[in-house]
Amino acid sequence: MPLNIVILAAGKGSRMLSSLPKVLHPVGGLPMLAHVINTGLSMNPNAIHVVYGHGGEQVKSLLTQYKINWVEQKEQLGTGHAVMQAIPNIPDDDTVLILYGDVPLISEATLQQVVENSETNKLSLLTAKLKNPSGYGRMLRDMQGQLTGIKEQKDASEDQLLIDEVNTGFLACNAGLLRGWLALLGNTNAQGEYYLTDIVEMAATSGIEIESCFAAEEAEILGVNDRKQLANIERLYQTRYIDDLMLKGVTLLDPSRVDVRGQLNAGQDCTIDINTLFEGEVSLGDNVSIGANCCIKNAIIGNDVVIKPNCVIEDAQIGNASTIGPFARIRPDTVLAENVHVGNFVEIKKSSIGQGSKVNHLSYIGDTEMGSKVNVGAGTITCNYDGAYKHLTQIGDNVFIGSDTQLIAPVKVEDGATIGAGSTISKTAPANELTLSRTPQQTIKGWDRPVKKK
Ligand code: UD1
Ligand code: CA
C-alpha cells in the first residue's frame, strides 16, 4: 500500500524555554525534525505531511529543501486533533504512519516493522516496557493479552498506573479506518484534548485486530521536552554515530570524546584523537591522523594527511600528505595542494598553496596564490587589506621568503625570487633575484645605556 507519513510537530515545547521552536533544536547538528523527515524519506512514502503550529514560518523556512505537505494546526487541541488536520489529504486506501517531530532517534528498521504489522487492515502500535512508565499512556490488555485501549497518565486509575507497558505514540494503519475513528473522537478527559490514543479502544470494540511491537533500541522512542532530554538524546545520537564510524574502520582513541555534527566520511585507517569536533560535511582520505582538540568543518582532507593538535579548519581542502599544525587555523576558501606544510600559529585564508610549499611558523597568508616549493619564513604577513578592499598576493614557484617579511598586496613575487628577511615588499620582486628592503645596520660606538640617578 502507498505510504503517507504524518509527523506531529505542532506542540509548543514550553519546557525548552526557547524562542526557537522545539523541533528545530539540533541533534548532531541537524534540526530534530529533519532527522525524523530523513528517516521518513528512507521509507519511500508517497507524501510526508508535517503538522505544524508554533513558530511554523521559522520551521518551514529552515526545511525548504524537503518536499513536505505542510499542514497547520492553529490550536493545539491534542494529538488526535493534530492528525485530523492532515487526514483530508490522504486517500482511503493508503497506509498512514504517525511520527513525532520531537522523537528524533526512531530507526527505519523499527518503522518498517510497524508498517508491516499494519498490513491486512490491522492497527499497528509501537509500545515499550519501561522501568519508570510515569508520564506515558499505559497499554490496556485483556486476559488473552489482546490490546483493548490506552489510558493517559492523567486519566489512569491507580491500578492502571502500575502497568509498565507504555504507548510510544508511533502507529500505522489504513487511512480509511483512521478517518472513521478520528471523526468519532471526543475530548471529555482530564486534559480536554482529542486524544489520538482513543482510536485503540474504537478499533478493539469494532473487532479490528491490533498488533504491537517493540523498538529495537529503547533510545529510539525517547522524546525531547527539555534541554536535559535534548542533551541525553545528543549523547545517544553521538554514541550511535561514533560506533558506526568504528565499525567502518576508523580508530577513535576515546569514542566518548569525539562529536560529529553533520556527516563524516573516512577512508581506511584514519585515527582521531580526543576532543575533536567535526561539523558539516567532512571527508577524510586514507590514513589520516587527527590530533587532539581539532575543530574541522566542511573540509576535504586527502590521504596521509597529519593534523596535529589544536587546529581549526573550515571550508578548506587539504591535499595528500600535507601536515597541519599544531595550532594552525585554515580558514574558508583555502586549497592546499599535496605535501604542504603549515606549522604552528599560522593562519591561512582564501589562498591556494602549491605542492611542497612550507609555511611553518607564525604567519598570516590571506588572498594569496602561492606556487610550489615555496619556503615562507617565520612571521611573514600578507598585508591583504587596505581598510576598504582586499588585494591579491601572487607568489611563484621556488620562492624563498625570509622571516618577518610583509608583502603589501597587490604584489607579486616571481618564480625563484628570494626575499631578504625583515623586508617590506610593495613592488614586484623579480624572478631569480634577491630582493630586500632593509635599513642599513649601524653601530654607535661608545654609547652608554641610560641609568637611574641614585
Ligand atoms: C502522547 C500520547 C501518550 C504517549 C506519549 C509518548 C496522546 C493522547 N498521548 O502523550 O500516550 O505515551 O505521547 O510520548 O496521544 N502535538 C501536536 N498537536 C497537538 C498536541 C500534540 O502536534 O495538539 C504533538 C506534539 O508536538 C508532540 C506530540 O504531538 O510532538 C505528542 O504530544 P504531547 O503533548 O507531548 O503528548 P503526551 O501528552 O506526551
Ligand atoms: Ca500532552
Side-chain angles (χ1 to χ4, degrees):
M1 283 302 152
L3 182 66
N4 273 255
I5 293 178
V6 176
I7 303 176
L8 303 193
K12 203 188 213 156
S14 17
R15 277 178 282 166
M16 296 296 285
L17 303 173
S18 177
S19 61
L20 188 68
K22 177 166 76 175
V23 292
L24 292 182
H25 279 262
V27 168
L30 200 68
M32 273 191 266
L33 180 55
H35 284 280
V36 179
I37 294 172
N38 285 337
T39 308
L41 284 172
S42 69
M43 308 202 41
N44 298 314
N46 259 13
I48 294 187
H49 313 265
V50 176
V51 182
Y52 69 94
H54 290 276
E57 291 317 308
Q58 213 179 336
V59 174
K60 282 199 253 180
S61 70
L62 271 171
L63 298 170
T64 48
Q65 73 270 39
Y66 296 104
K67 198 170 154 270
I68 297 288
N69 176 32
W70 295 99
V71 182
E72 188 177 9
Q73 185 192 22
K74 288 202 177 71
E75 263 184 298
Q76 279 69 62
L77 302 179
T79 49
H81 182 260
V83 178
M84 280 181 216
Q85 312 309 305
I87 199 77
N89 304 306
I90 304 175
D92 269 346
D93 288 340
D94 288 13
T95 297
V96 179
L97 172 66
I98 309 286
L99 309 182
Y100 296 84
D102 56 358
V103 187
L105 301 186
I106 190 72
S107 75
E108 185 194 344
T110 296
L111 293 180
Q112 289 293 4
Q113 186 63 57
V114 172
V115 169
E116 236 170 73
N117 287 350
S118 78
E119 276 162 18
T120 60
N121 268 355
K122 282 184 266 182
L123 170 59
S124 166
L125 306 171
L126 186 70
T127 72
K129 290 230 178 190
L130 297 183
K131 273 195 209 87
N132 176 12
S134 179
Y136 287 86
R138 306 299 206 282
M139 308 310 291
L140 309 180
R141 292 182 185 268
D142 64 16
M143 305 296 275
Q144 285 74 45
Q146 290 296 309
L147 281 165
T148 57
I150 298 178
K151 253 313 170 219
E152 289 305 296
Q153 164 101 12
K154 287 182 177 150
D155 300 281
S157 67
E158 264 179 49
D159 282 353
Q160 287 166 336
L161 288 176
L162 297 175
I163 299 170
D164 65 350
E165 188 188 8
V166 302
N167 174 34
T168 67
F170 292 91
L171 66 85
C173 69
N174 164 269
L177 285 177
L178 182 60
R179 193 189 319 282
W181 294 327
L182 290 173
L184 302 174
L185 286 183
N187 65 350
T188 45
N189 50 52
Q191 302 186 79
E193 287 181 5
Y194 295 89
Y195 290 165
L196 178 61
T197 45
D198 285 350
I199 69 168
V200 177
E201 194 185 323
M202 294 179 191
T205 44
S206 57
I208 299 289
E209 232 184 295
I210 306 167
E211 184 90 47
S212 75
C213 61
F214 295 132
E217 284 176 57
E218 197 180 297
E220 292 186 37
I221 63 141
L222 296 178
V224 173
N225 293 305
D226 58 34
R227 296 187 199 235
K228 268 182 81 172
Q229 288 170 334
L230 179 65
N232 180 43
I233 293 273
E234 178 73 26
R235 281 308 96 209
L236 291 165
Y237 172 85
Q238 292 296 341
T239 303
R240 207 198 245 186
Y241 199 100
I242 300 297
D243 281 355
D244 190 49
L245 276 179
M246 291 189 287
L247 293 175
K248 287 178 178 156
V250 178
T251 294
L252 293 156
L253 286 140
D254 181 353
S256 70
R257 282 186 287 172
V258 172
D259 277 23
V260 180
R261 297 180 198 147
Q263 273 312 113
L264 174 62
N265 294 307
Q268 215 171 26
D269 291 319
C270 290
T271 299
I272 300 168
D273 213 329
I274 58 168
N275 295 333
T276 292
L277 169 62
F278 297 94
E279 288 183 274
E281 300 266 330
V282 175
S283 85
L284 310 179
D286 292 334
N287 202 29
V288 172
S289 158
I290 299 177
N293 307 318
C294 290
C295 297
I296 303 179
K297 183 174 183 177
N298 297 325
I300 300 173
I301 300 190
N303 300 327
D304 306 306
V305 169
V306 177
I307 298 172
K308 294 179 181 170
N310 301 297
C311 291
V312 178
I313 298 175
E314 183 177 353
D315 291 311
Q317 239 171 288
I318 314 289
N320 294 342
S322 292
T323 304
I324 313 291
F327 295 100
R329 182 173 181 206
I330 311 289
R331 292 174 53 199
D333 300 317
T334 293
V335 178
L336 307 186
E338 294 197 0
N339 200 21
V340 167
H341 289 214
V342 175
N344 40 221
F345 308 108
V346 171
E347 174 179 347
I348 301 187
K349 185 218 81 168
K350 201 177 181 183
S351 296
S352 60
I353 311 281
Q355 197 174 333
S357 290
K358 296 179 180 165
V359 189
N360 272 333
H361 326 270
L362 300 140
S363 290
Y364 172 64
I365 304 294
D367 302 290
T368 297
E369 293 167 359
M370 188 187 296
S372 59
K373 299 207 171 83
V374 172
N375 195 313
V376 177
T380 295
I381 292 171
T382 55
C383 309
N384 59 330
Y385 186 48
D386 61 14
Y389 297 99
K390 302 277 168 67
H391 300 282
L392 183 67
T393 299
Q394 288 168 291
I395 300 171
D397 296 335
N398 291 306
V399 165
F400 182 96
I401 297 177
S403 296
D404 190 28
T405 292
Q406 300 95 52
L407 297 157
I408 316 245
V411 72
K412 196 167 182 176
V413 181
E414 293 181 346
D415 289 350
T418 301
I419 307 294
S423 294
T424 302
I425 302 295
S426 55
K427 294 194 281 281
T428 297
N432 304 315
E433 306 285 1
L434 170 65
T435 301
L436 71 170
S437 77
R438 211 184 267 171
T439 45
Q441 181 170 329
Q442 49 177 326
T443 301
I444 314 290
K445 284 217 169 131
W447 179 79
D448 287 325
R449 227 183 252 179
V451 285
K452 269 193 175 163
K453 286 184 188 129
K454 294 241 170 79

